[in-house]
Amino acid sequence: MKKFTFSLQSLLGVKMTLEKQQMGELAAAEARVRDLEKDLDNMRLRFQITKAEYTEKLKVGMVPYDITAYAIGFNSLKDKEEAQRDKIRAAEDDVYRIRSVLVETMRERKMLEKLRERHYEEYLDNVKRENEQIIGDFVANQIAAHGNGGELSG
């Protein structure tokens, strides 16, 4: 009997390669989210430091110009934080999209692997049947060749 071949093996290989690639993309996208969140934390820390600085200067006394400058700075920091949160949301959406595609690829790969396994089991069953047929034919030929009514002689 011929060697087992799975007709969809090349497609299975493509799915496996694609899955590895998508896992890499997912890891990169998740790292981007972490980096953006770290940047947001740094922005918040900078805001808190600036706020503490402002509070200390208010206790001592500040000119109106400095108060206005701090107000503009606070608004700018808040705008930057909001823009950063938007970047984080977009990056999280990207992670979700990549994860969804990866899950679908994994599902397709597993389906192909199960199909391959089923085809291999069918192949083994056919090999077993062919072997049994060969043995049966051999025994029948031996019986016919000896012509002794079904008994084999040693």
Side-chain angles (χ1 to χ4, degrees), residues 75-121:
N75 286 335
S76 175
L77 286 173
K78 286 193 179 279
D79 290 344
K80 286 179 182 177
E81 281 184 32
E82 185 58 38
Q84 190 70 12
R85 282 191 289 275
D86 289 343
K87 287 180 186 177
I88 291 170
R89 281 189 287 276
E92 288 172 339
D93 289 347
D94 198 35
V95 166
Y96 177 78
R97 181 190 55 78
I98 293 169
R99 187 175 286 128
S100 296
V101 170
L102 175 60
V103 166
E104 180 62 22
T105 300
M106 290 173 76
R107 187 188 66 73
E108 291 171 357
R109 177 194 46 85
K110 287 178 182 179
M111 179 187 66
L112 286 168
E113 286 176 342
K114 285 180 182 179
L115 184 61
R116 182 182 188 279
E117 186 177 313
R118 192 173 334 131
H119 284 193
Y120 185 66
E121 289 172 5

Side-chain angles (χ1 to χ4, degrees), residues 2-134:
K2 66 180 182 170
K3 181 181 168 189
F4 172 73
T5 56
F6 181 54
S7 61
L8 298 173
Q9 185 63 44
S10 60
L11 180 59
L12 178 58
V14 167
K15 291 296 180 184
M16 292 171 82
T17 301
L18 191 59
E19 183 178 335
K20 288 178 186 174
Q21 178 185 14
Q22 290 168 347
M23 284 180 169
E25 289 174 14
L26 180 61
E30 288 172 338
R32 176 159 166 69
V33 169
R34 285 190 304 274
D35 289 344
L36 290 170
E37 287 174 341
K38 188 184 301 181
D39 291 345
L40 180 60
D41 290 342
N42 289 336
M43 287 178 184
R44 288 176 178 154
L45 180 61
R46 202 171 7 187
F47 181 84
Q48 292 302 320
I49 291 170
T50 304
K51 185 177 176 184
E53 191 179 284
Y54 173 74
T55 303
E56 286 301 314
K57 286 185 179 183
L58 269 179
K59 290 178 185 175
V60 177
M62 288 175 46
V63 294
Y65 173 79
D66 287 341
I67 294 172
T68 303
Y70 271 101
I72 291 170
F74 287 139
N75 286 335
S76 175
L77 286 173
K78 286 193 179 279
D79 290 344
K80 286 179 182 177
E81 281 184 32
E82 185 58 38
Q84 190 70 12
R85 282 191 289 275
D86 289 343
K87 287 180 186 177
I88 291 170
R89 281 189 287 276
E92 288 172 339
D93 289 347
D94 198 35
V95 166
Y96 177 78
R97 181 190 55 78
I98 293 169
R99 187 175 286 128
S100 296
V101 170
L102 175 60
V103 166
E104 180 62 22
T105 300
M106 290 173 76
R107 187 188 66 73
E108 291 171 357
R109 177 194 46 85
K110 287 178 182 179
M111 179 187 66
L112 286 168
E113 286 176 342
K114 285 180 182 179
L115 184 61
R116 182 182 188 279
E117 186 177 313
R118 192 173 334 131
H119 284 193
Y120 185 66
E121 289 172 5
E122 290 172 4
Y123 167 80
L124 291 178
D125 287 344
N126 288 337
V127 167
K128 182 179 176 183
R129 274 193 297 278
E130 283 185 18
N131 287 341
E132 289 171 353
Q133 182 67 40
I134 290 170

